Amino acid sequence: MTIQGEYVPSPTAWVREQVEKIEETGTTRSVSVQDREVVMLTMLGVSGKVRKVPLMRVEHDGVYAAVASKGGAPEHPAWYANVRKNPVLDLQDDDRTWTVRAREIEGAERKEWWERCVAAFPPYAEYQVNTDRLIPVLLLEPVSDSD
């Protein structure tokens, strides 16, 4: 893992509890959201403190997507600002953790990935209908040693 510093637990109880369970068991498979698999992102927050958040697992050919849905709320989730400011983060899937770089996608690439996101977690389609904002999709691409 590359993200280091003072960890500040989420003020949101279910997020905090899921992160604690993942850390206790060493695997993201120990928790789920609506019976679907999650991954965990570890990032530097806007404040400079370490933040952790479980997100729905959306993966295709070794690349993952992070969907900033916040359940279709009118505003972006807090983690989105963190990732925009500090796009290099740690991604944990099951018991494996590696470094990725987040990149927000648009246009045809977003359309293709949005279909994958909805296939992985169908409520995303309803969340998009329920908000005026375009829900951001960020690809989490592996960072090589030479990056």
Side-chain angles (χ1 to χ4, degrees), residues 33-37 56-59 65 67 113-124:
V33 173
Q34 296 183 21
D35 295 322
R36 300 207 180 237
E37 293 180 359
M56 301 311 301
R57 184 183 188 279
V58 180
E59 181 271 337
V67 180
W113 272 92
W114 182 251
E115 291 171 7
R116 292 175 181 147
C117 295
V118 171
F121 188 64
Y124 283 146

Side-chain angles (χ1 to χ4, degrees), residues 5-11 15-16 19 43 47-53:
E6 180 186 347
Y7 170 59
V8 177
S10 174
V15 172
R16 187 174 57 252
V19 168
M43 67 201 76
S47 67
K49 308 286 187 196
V50 175
R51 299 292 192 161
K52 299 180 182 193
V53 62

Side-chain angles (χ1 to χ4, degrees), residues 74-133:
E75 70 281 345
H76 297 310
W79 66 259
Y80 175 74
N82 296 335
V83 172
R84 295 277 300 181
K85 179 169 179 167
N86 300 300
V88 176
L89 50 130
D90 290 335
L91 170 64
Q92 181 177 347
D93 184 10
D94 192 2
D95 60 356
R96 188 172 150 248
T97 302
W98 64 100
T99 303
V100 295
R101 181 180 312 278
R103 174 176 65 88
E104 191 164 347
I105 55 176
E106 303 175 327
E109 186 177 31
R110 184 192 181 281
K111 183 178 186 298
E112 178 181 19
W113 272 92
W114 182 251
E115 291 171 7
R116 292 175 181 147
C117 295
V118 171
F121 188 64
Y124 283 146
E126 182 181 336
Y127 296 169
Q128 184 59 79
V129 170
N130 291 340
T131 186
D132 292 332
R133 68 186 172 91

